[in-house]
Amino acid sequence: MRSIVCKMLFPLLLLWLPSAHAATVLVFGDSLSAGYGLAPNQGWVTLLSRELAPRHQVVNASISGETSAGGLSRLPDALSRHKPDVLVLELGANDGLRGLPMADMRRNLQRMIDLARARKTQVLLVGMALPPNYGPRYGAEFRAVYDELAKSNRLAYVPLLVAGFAGDLSAFQPDGLHPRAEMQATMMRTVKAKLPVK
């Protein structure tokens, strides 16, 4: 009799037990991740959430216009609130567009990496590139920040969020900075391929 009851209850018990592989992914970025100019369900983060559900949860804490300094000020609270297993760190583009010092951007990103790791949170660093009109030297310095941080910290790394269509102006909204809705699935796949959770 006891064995019969156990067999009946075991499937129900499994429904209440959290999956050993479940993870919370916190996307912490700027307008490229906040879905600027898109309908609420079109952004790459929303698409990623659908891809990973129901096993994993995706939380989007991205804010349009965010800089690395702004992100650094918000991150401690976000880590405490969401307790993520993975931090997708997509910041810095606005630092570059505003011509802010690369040393400050590097320091802010490094501090965010350190804060996440102190909480045993894995970090996926996502890089970007500046428009050509910012000049080759500044553009190279900007890209080098991401490359060097990824290497020195041994991070999972997406060198370019808009990989595959960066040079195609028709892939972007009229401002030339934010990808169209049709490109969001490409961005999602680019990030998903480097996530430490599947």
Side-chain angles (χ1 to χ4, degrees):
M1 181 67 178
R2 180 179 297 177
S3 62
I4 294 175
V5 173
C6 289
K7 288 180 180 179
M8 293 175 62
L9 292 178
F10 185 69
L12 296 175
L13 179 61
L14 289 178
L15 294 176
W16 290 95
L17 290 175
S19 169
H21 302 289
T24 297
V25 177
L26 176 64
V27 180
F28 207 72
D30 49 36
S31 56
L32 295 169
S33 298
Y36 177 87
L38 305 173
N41 63 342
Q42 291 180 323
W44 73 262
V45 180
T46 299
L47 300 181
L48 180 66
S49 180
R50 292 174 185 166
E51 282 282 308
L52 297 182
R55 182 178 296 277
H56 306 302
Q57 177 188 18
V58 177
V59 177
N60 193 358
S62 304
I63 296 179
S64 294
E66 186 71 287
T67 62
S68 64
L72 177 58
S73 69
R74 290 194 301 119
L75 185 59
D77 178 68
L79 292 174
S80 296
R81 180 180 305 176
H82 302 294
K83 298 176 175 58
D85 301 281
V86 179
L87 173 68
V88 179
L89 184 55
E90 182 274 303
L91 283 174
N94 287 307
D95 295 61
L97 292 175
R98 298 178 187 184
L100 301 178
M102 291 296 95
D104 291 348
M105 172 179 148
R106 182 198 307 271
R107 182 168 53 253
N108 292 336
L109 291 174
Q110 182 62 63
R111 290 179 65 186
M112 284 187 272
I113 292 166
D114 294 340
L115 285 170
R117 284 186 158 175
R119 292 176 174 266
K120 310 301 183 185
T121 299
Q122 298 184 70
V123 179
L124 170 58
L125 182 64
V126 179
M128 270 300 295
L130 295 178
N133 58 295
Y134 280 76
R137 180 177 179 179
Y138 188 67
E141 291 177 356
F142 178 80
R143 290 291 299 274
V145 169
Y146 296 104
D147 293 341
E148 292 167 5
L149 285 173
K151 183 177 181 180
S152 62
N153 291 281
R154 298 182 180 180
L155 300 177
Y157 181 38
V158 172
L160 185 61
L161 180 58
V162 294
F165 62 91
D168 181 5
L169 290 179
S170 68
F172 292 83
Q173 297 176 41
D175 61 11
L177 298 174
H178 298 91
R180 295 182 181 275
E182 295 79 5
M183 299 296 107
Q184 299 299 312
T186 298
M187 298 162 69
M188 181 274 289
R189 288 191 293 268
T190 297
V191 173
K192 184 185 175 186
K194 296 298 180 70
L195 272 177
V197 298
K198 303 299 179 186

